[in-house]
Amino acid sequence: MSAATQPSPPCRALYSARRQSSLKKTPRRFYLTYQENSDGFSDEEDRDEEWVDSNDPEEVFQNIQFQKEIIADIRSRPWPMAHKLKALRQAKQIVLKYEGRLTRTQGYQAAGADLLKKASRVLYNIVVLFIPWEMRIKKIESHFGSGVASYFIFLRWLFGINIVLTVMTGAFVVLPELLAGAPYGSTRRKTIPKEQISSAQDLDTIWSLGARLLTTLSAFSRITRHCEPGYLQYSVLFYGYYGSVRKIGSAGYRLPLAYFLVGMAVFAYSFIVLLRKMAKNSRLSLVSASDENYTFCWRVFCAWDFLIGNHEAAESKGAAIVNNIREAIVEEQEKKKETSLLALVSLRVLANILVLLSLAGSIYIIYFVVDRSQRLEQEKQELTLWEKNEVSVVVSLITMIAPSAFELVAQLEMYHPRTSLRFQLARVLVLYLGNLYSLIIALLDKVNSMNSVSPATVGNWSDSSAFLATSALMGEENQSTIMPEISEWRNATYSLATEAGETTGVAALSNNMTTSPEFSMRSPQDQCWETYVGQEMLKLSVIDMIFTVASILLIDFFRGLFVRYVSDCWCWDLESKFPEYGEFKIAENVLHLIYNQGMIWMGTFFSPCLPAFNVLKLVGLMYLRSWAVLTCDVPHQQVFRASRSNNFYLAMLLFMLFLCMLPTVFAIVRYRPSQHCGPFSGQDKIYDIIPETIAADFPLWLSRMMSYVTSPVVVLPALLLLFMLIYYLQSIARSLKFTNNQLRIQLQMASQQANRRECRRLRENTADKKRVLKFAAARLTASESGEEMVEEEENEVMSQGTSICSSGLKHNSSIANCKLPEHQGSSIPTISQPVSHKDISQTTRVMWGGPMPKAQKKRKEYIPSRYPDCLEGSDRSFKLYHQGLNRPSGYYTEHTHFKSLQRKGFRPMYCKPAQYVIVSEHGACRKPLRPASWTPRCTRMNKPGDAVELFPQSGCWPKTFMPYRSYLPEEEEEGAENPHIQRYSFSQTLQPQCLSDLTQPAHLYTGDMGSQEPVEGLHSSWAKADWEDPKLRTRSHSDVRSCEPPSKDCVLQVKMHVKPKKRKKVEVCLPESDSASLDSSSDPQNSGSDQYIQVIQSKEKSLRSCDRPSRKKFNSGADLNMSAENELIYSNV
Amino acid sequence: MGNKQTIFTDEQLDAYQDCTFFTRKEILRLHGRYHELAPHLVPMDYTNNPDVKLPSALIVNMPELKENPFRNRIVESFSEDGLGNLSFNDFVDMFSVLSETAPKELKAIYAFKIYDFNTDNFICKEDLEKTLNKLTREELTPEEVNLVCEKAIEETDMDGDNKLSYDDFENMISRAPDFLR
């Protein structure tokens, strides 16, 4: 940004100008000043003074608002810090200073807001301190890049969710039960059967968490088998422990209700959190990654992960990038080429078959194992540790091994790495789901059988006998073996029969009975299926954790150790060949987390403490993983970018949540709760607790209302309504998407068109200019004095690069003249002879009438670049006009600074008032190095009969031109097409912009010519005049109109600060004095179509040209997009 | 920050917090890092805004940047003098822009500067070649580099001038799925 180097002198001028000019356009004005700041680093003191004089509250208010805006988003502005700080300080000062001037309420409001802001910042500072593992994650991020870190961030997020779940279950279920519930041992369900106490403390038993059928060596051998409860089984960990008393404690806490509601709330909360997170993410990543337009660019510009700080990671990332790019090249080259499709397809089919087989196999194995464990339980007296845990172990093993197998298979397929990664993920996900599902189905099967026992126990004898038959049919040996006893026992109870030996157990039938007869027919109690499911889940979770730890140690740590230390004395390079170092496979690991979370969701209802356990597990995992990653892993080669704003994992998690919720909800709805344990014992269905509570504990009207609300009459329409709503929203979404696409297409087309146009312009540029020259030449020739000049011109222009003059001719033969200055060093005498001098007086003498067709001007402008030679022409003679036409960004604005003008040669001629000529010159000084970059040009345009003039000036140009960065040739074409027309019709085409130029010439002219009086008159009139004023126009006789380039208004404001009398001085001072015209258009929002031009002439030396800064802004802002209407125009005198 | 030595005044910290994406603590930590780089040059007391600049050679060796193929460019684009000498302000600025919370648009602006090796406000072919060579540690053959550059320009260049303006760049980058640092 070369512009940034420029000094920004002019602010003061600017300010004064502004001060006078506009009270109405405050916003714009603020914007300007602000811009000023941004680029110019201008002195604030001045500014402050400037501000002082604004007393209009509205203005002040807006000012303050504006400053606040700055304060608010200053951090997002691409300025250097020092500058930001300065701007910030200033803005704050201004706010502080002026806020008090507003009404009191506003002041208070502001103070309040300020306070609030401070407080929130402090709070934020504190909160940040409590984000767990921030440093650890940052460290990993800095070593391995964002991909690896995303795993840990995800882990942390899950951790957060689990904390909330834990709090929910803990606060509303576990704690009340512990505090107010019947204490341990007080009821039968909370007591470990006596005969098991002896074994309850064995590690073995505790580990088994109970529930497994174990033979005990109890003396009561009649019962050969029953559940072996550990302490854990009889704890708040599991469903079975909770009492079914409706209200507990002195406060009457409704535990069962709370239990149910919390169970549901867990799901609801998880859904809400997930969906919100996803919505937020999708808002963040609006990008539709669908179009592959930028394959290479993305690979080049977006490849590097800027977080990588570790050497090895950097190496592998570099290698990955190279691969990636090579791949892209190959793809590009082979896009059309079809490889042996047949082989590929068959391979892929084969691979998929393999995967399916292994999926089916794993599901079968799980089912088989569950089944076998059931059989084992029934057949064997004592189960070994393996037998007790084989289900969980098998599941965990499959979970570990299968993904690697899939990976091998995937190599067969030869997909693009990204695709194959997706396949891999999908397969692993299916595998996990399959595992969980087959497990839960097998368990529910078991529950089914258990459950079916319960009705039997409650039912009468015939029921139970009937049940016996069924259970036998089902081949549930497990149950059936117990069955006889139960039924017998039942028998005894209800049908008052017999078998005295067991009658003691009768008491157990009525739930509230405590006591445990020695013999305890505990079977009903032990068959608490909810507890059983909860236990399985917990056990699965624990074993999974163990396996994870083991795999981290084995696969990552020991392998790493082995590779590192044995590598030296091994026969091949361990580090790069076979074992290598462990890779951190982000995708698989994230999936594993999801799987783990799925287990938790599945089991939470049956085991309220599962989330708490999971919290511990996640904490452990976090530390272990991060340790392992930092010590012994290398990042995965193909990183699946899963940034924070990527919804992929979240979508999988959501999917998992839904699928895990299903079995639980199914179980709740479908199965009857155990009769002898748990908060819902005695109910027919778990959810009966709700209606029951409503009926019993709420006023009558509520229950009646509920009954209405839940009746089909209400529910069905409500459902219907929901469906309609969904449909409606969906269709809206669809139409929005459609609109979106349309808009995007339009946008693309527009930008393409714009680009094309630009190209064309570029191309035509040259041609146009030539045409213009020709035309001018032709005119010249036509004119009396014509031909030689033309030739001369051409020659000069082309070869020597002189300034070109176009002379306007009148028909009258009055002629213009041109002059062509010469170059090299000599200042040139430009001669423009005003033919019709007389007119001058009438006209505004000033050149400024500049109704130039834009086209011409622009063309001219380009010329310099075309003829570089011109630049060389040392004469800086000339200048004349520059106008920035509608150039968008004020590139054109030329500032012409004449250090010294030599006016001698200068004669503008004006002819009829209406017709003007304008010359625009603009020096395209590209580099400051070429001082002479201005080519003098005189253009003339007239109607026939009008005279034209030239302005040669032999000015000495200061070299102070701004480097002119990019000159955008865009606009030219418009005029180019029909220059003739424009010329002739120029009265319409007046461009106000010319004004800026005009002023100059005017001065010069006046000085020279001695036609002073009129000039003065003009000046004075100008000073007041607002050019928009029609009056003014008429006065000047010129057909000055604001021509509207489509859609813009041109407003000219001309201010002349120069007093006429001092004109001479002014001239002397020319170098310093500027006239600054500012286009307020710098305010992009408002000024879209307005152009304001102010021409200000001030004689003060102190004034510096304002151009620089403003222009700079444009450049630096790179606001190419700024509406074309924005311009800055400066005229310097 | 009671008993500790004052590094910044509260106003300074506030101002920094306004201007960057950092919290107070992070700013202090940044100062710590900056101080570490050259303990003898960088004062602990920053209340009077000492004018200290560290040469790019020091900055570039920070672990955060050490492995970055564009480290020199990064440092240069953030330095006020364009040579890579960073004052503390520039230093903070750099990390602020590189921090994860900075908006994408801001990053795009600086990314453009970084990739614009010759600072002509366009990414031209030479810039691209340099980028590629840095990125791949010159492992690609010249033909490959050439091909990639041409392709990249072809894809992105909208106005046919064979170089990428900021608009082109921004347009391209805003659609990139993984333009996140």
Side-chain angles (χ1 to χ4, degrees), chain A residues 658-676:
Chain A
F658 180 70
L659 290 181
C660 289
M661 199 182 70
L662 277 187
T664 309
V665 170
F666 176 75
I668 289 174
V669 172
R670 165 77 179 70
Y671 294 109
R672 206 188 155 116
S674 307
Q675 295 303 302
H676 305 288

Side-chain angles (χ1 to χ4, degrees), chain A residues 244 246 682-683 685 687-698:
Chain A
S244 60
R246 287 294 175 257
Q683 291 173 199
K685 294 281 187 227
Y687 56 80
D688 281 345
I689 188 74
I690 301 265
E692 187 189 306
T693 312
I694 289 177
D697 300 330
F698 283 90

